[in-house]
Amino acid sequence: MPKEHTQLKARNRTETLEPHQYNVIIENDDFTTMDFVVKVLMEVFFYERVKAEHLMLKVHHSGNAVVGTYTYDVATSKVRKVTEMARAEGFPLRLRVEQA
């Protein structure tokens, strides 16, 4: 009877890396209303009203604030949505994305 030959394939374990995280930073300006900033924080970033008002005041007093940390695609999508909302209302509100 012939001998059976079997081969075992070695499995290489690959490590799954977490995607880089990016901060969305909102900038203060002299034209965008505080009410609009609170609205954006609630509708786009899903903050409760009290936390949204607190963040808006932080932006107002310190010039900017991190409003969320996301993957790059989510961060840029939120910036694009807020920018479109601001331009539709005639506000020059600016946001930026930076690696966390």
Side-chain angles (χ1 to χ4, degrees), residues 28-93:
N28 186 43
D29 65 67
D30 293 333
F31 303 101
T32 305
T33 64
M34 292 179 177
D35 289 336
F36 182 77
V37 173
V38 170
K39 175 184 171 182
V40 162
L41 291 172
M42 291 174 63
E43 290 181 10
V44 178
F45 296 97
F46 306 110
Y47 282 103
E48 298 288 328
R49 176 167 291 282
V50 173
K51 179 66 175 171
E53 289 172 352
H54 175 74
L55 265 173
M56 175 273 299
L57 288 173
K58 182 177 179 185
V59 171
H60 181 70
H61 293 295
S62 66
N64 62 47
V66 174
V67 294
T69 303
Y70 310 94
T71 60
Y72 183 77
D73 291 340
V74 173
T76 56
S77 175
K78 287 186 179 285
V79 167
R80 187 173 28 254
K81 180 174 178 111
V82 171
T83 302
E84 288 171 1
M85 289 172 67
R87 298 310 175 267
E89 295 287 327
F91 296 123
L93 184 63

